[in-house]
């Protein structure tokens, strides 16, 4: 009761509103105890009266200082009467400290609390991110662990908002943290800024050496661990076996760091936990999609336990993106990697690379000079198809044939890719027969009724293109 009531008077704004809920709930329990009796002890003062007796004097002082009335007669008739009756008992009345001195004392005590609350209310913190980026979760977790209130602005790539371009004109990408009008970009820079700005619940140790080592392992995680683990899940066959070697080696280093402690930060979550924290969620998703178990308890007992402990922390648990959406996202992301891996395996076995599909695909997933070169190759290959349609409705003649089915994806996907990228490859002037065929093929009921939902495909290829271009930019 007393801590919850005190919390009301040392808070302001939204925090005060939230503090009122448990305080009123607790006071209601006391109100129930007074039904049909003058004191908690009955007709005379008892132990509970002495325990709660502070309120009979202090609450009125806190109310006077804050201007907030908490215990009102309408809500708490029994408590209000008890406060007066208790205060009127001579033994109690004669031993209250001087009211003016108590007011001065609590004025001094309340000042730092109210100043901090006012400061928090005055601060404006915004985070620009996409829901699809698991890396931005580090920032979300850091802010939540430090109890910093912030607004989230979700960006919808590739349609970048004017605000994002204003706050991050250099890289024009998320995440971006805006604090009182000042913008900070780049993931680790943002985390460092949060750590230095808000000292509560530190993410880094005080000792300079330990702090340096934490930063070292964060960099090791970003540069070595996560890329090597990801490589395992985007590979197949012999390449996957080879990718397993550095991944397991890197995970063993992390396993060593967890010996004798619950988190990488010790008993509480630290910066390295946030850096590696993605694995606690994503690895299970990648394992579910690939059917491959990478982090097993026998090999990595500490990591396995840490993944569960980290995921069970409320701040972490409550801020994971929806699992089903993440599965869908990575299903889309993995497709091109696995298709390329399968194609490579096929070539190694003496297969031949198809021409039209890759050449058209490259147009939409390249930029600048590479896109120009890809367009020239695609146009050359499309001309060969154009020739095959001369004098007939379908490649199979009057009816759909084998080649129509093989090339049929173009009738739907090319228009989607054109919308995603804003680039026209197949137009009526250059490819009149192909343009007509695309319409005729799409109008066949069997074809039309079985296209995947257009909006879902647009979303899928937005994500796929973003993944390709991001990977290309890093190279």
């Amino acid at each position: 009761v007393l801590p919850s009531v005190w919390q009301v008077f040392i808070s302001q704004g939204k925090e005060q509103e939230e503090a009122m809920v448990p305080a009123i709930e607790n006071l209601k329990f006391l109100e129930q105890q007074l039904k049909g009796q003058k004191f908690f002890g009955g007709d005379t003062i008892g132990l509970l009266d002495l325990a709660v007796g502070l309120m009979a004097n202090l609450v009125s002082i806190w109310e006077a200082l804050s201007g907030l009335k908490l215990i009102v007669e309408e809500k708490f008739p029994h408590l209000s009467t008890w406060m007066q009756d208790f205060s009127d008992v001579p033994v109690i009345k004669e031993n209250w400290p001087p009211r003016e001195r108590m007011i001065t004392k609590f004025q001094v005590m309340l000042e730092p609390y109210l100043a901090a609350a006012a400061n928090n209310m005055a601060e404006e913190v915004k985070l620009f991110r996409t829901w699809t980026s698991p890396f931005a979760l580090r920032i979300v977790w850091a802010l939540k662990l430090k109890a910093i209130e912030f607004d989230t602005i979700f960006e919808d790539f590739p349609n970048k908002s004017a605000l994002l371009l204003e706050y991050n004109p250099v890289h024009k990408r998320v995440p971006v943290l805006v604090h009182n009008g000042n913008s900070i970009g780049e993931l680790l820079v943002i985390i460092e800024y949060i750590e230095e700005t808000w000292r509560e619940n530190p993410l880094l140790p005080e000792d300079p050496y330990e702090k340096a080592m934490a930063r070292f392992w964060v960099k090791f995680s970003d540069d070595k661990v996560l890329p090597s683990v990801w490589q395992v899940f985007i590979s197949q066959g012999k390449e996957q076996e080879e990718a397993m070697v550095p991944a397991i080696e890197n995970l063993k280093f992390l396993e060593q760091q967890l010996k004798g402690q619950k988190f990488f930060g010790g008993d509480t979550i630290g910066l390295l936990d946030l850096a590696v924290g993605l694995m606690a969620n994503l690895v299970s998703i990648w394992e579910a999609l690939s059917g491959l178990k990478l982090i097993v308890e026998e090999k990595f007992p500490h990591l396995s336990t840490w993944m569960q402990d980290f995921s069970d922390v409320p701040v972490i648990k409550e801020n994971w993106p929806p699992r089903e959406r993440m599965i869908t996202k990575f299903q889309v992301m993995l497709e091109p990697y696995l298709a390329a891996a399968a194609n490579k395996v096929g070539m190694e076995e003496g297969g031949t690379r198809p021409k039209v599909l890759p050449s058209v695909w490259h147009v939409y997933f390249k930029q600048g000079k590479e896109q120009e070169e890809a367009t020239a190759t695609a146009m050359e290959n499309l001309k060969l198809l154009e020739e095959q349609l001369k004098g007939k409705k379908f490649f199979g003649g009057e009816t759909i044939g084998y080649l129509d089915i093989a090339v049929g994806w173009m009738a739907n996907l090319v228009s989607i890719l054109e919308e995603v990228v804003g680039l026209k490859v197949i137009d009526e002037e250059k490819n009149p027969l192909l343009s007509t065929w695309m319409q005729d093929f799409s109008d066949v009921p069997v074809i039309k009724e079985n296209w995947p939902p257009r909006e879902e495909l647009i979303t899928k290829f937005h994500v796929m293109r973003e993944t390709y271009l991001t990977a290309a930019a890093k190279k």
Side-chain angles (χ1 to χ4, degrees), residues 321-342:
R323 185 173 174 85
E324 289 308 312
R325 290 185 72 184
M326 292 299 281
I327 286 174
T328 302
K329 172 196 168 175
F330 282 105
Q331 212 161 17
V332 171
M333 286 181 70
L334 283 168
E335 269 182 18
Y337 288 106
L338 298 181

Side-chain angles (χ1 to χ4, degrees), residues 66-229:
S66 68
L68 171 71
K69 191 74 176 170
L70 180 62
I71 300 178
V72 291
E73 195 170 352
E74 292 76 16
K75 281 186 180 177
F76 303 104
H78 302 304
L79 264 177
S80 300
T81 303
W82 168 82
M83 285 170 70
Q84 188 60 55
D85 291 341
F86 182 82
S87 298
D88 286 343
V89 173
V91 170
I92 306 300
K93 194 173 187 177
E94 293 161 9
N95 289 284
W96 285 130
R99 185 173 175 87
E100 289 309 312
R101 290 184 67 183
M102 293 296 284
I103 287 175
T104 302
K105 171 191 173 180
F106 281 104
Q107 210 161 18
V108 172
M109 285 181 69
L110 282 168
E111 267 181 17
Y113 286 105
L114 298 180
N119 186 48
N120 284 339
M121 286 176 66
E123 287 191 315
E124 180 190 46
V125 182
K126 295 178 181 177
L127 175 61
F128 288 78
R129 56 174 291 211
T130 62
W131 81 263
T132 60
S133 171
F135 293 98
L137 279 178
R138 296 180 186 177
I139 301 169
V140 173
W141 292 334
L143 290 169
K144 293 279 187 181
L145 286 167
K146 290 177 177 286
I148 305 303
E149 291 190 11
F150 64 98
D151 295 320
T152 301
I153 295 92
F154 287 104
E155 288 291 322
D156 178 24
F157 284 160
N159 305 312
K160 299 174 184 179
S161 70
L163 270 179
L164 174 64
L165 299 177
E166 177 188 337
Y167 285 127
N168 192 4
V170 178
H171 294 299
K172 300 180 178 64
R173 66 189 181 202
V174 292
V176 174
L177 185 77
V178 179
H179 180 210
N180 292 337
N182 297 315
S183 60
I184 305 98
E186 296 305 302
L187 181 63
L188 292 179
V189 176
I190 293 171
I191 297 288
E192 291 276 355
Y193 178 85
I194 291 170
E195 178 71 353
E196 291 175 13
T197 304
W198 295 285
R199 298 291 184 176
E200 305 89 347
N201 303 323
L203 300 171
L204 284 167
E206 284 296 321
D207 181 77
Y209 174 75
E210 290 180 4
K211 189 180 290 186
M213 290 311 297
R215 288 183 173 129
F216 169 83
W217 288 112
V218 167
K219 185 165 175 56
F220 177 78
S221 166
D222 283 350
D223 292 350
K224 298 288 185 181
V225 180
L226 293 175
S228 64
V229 169

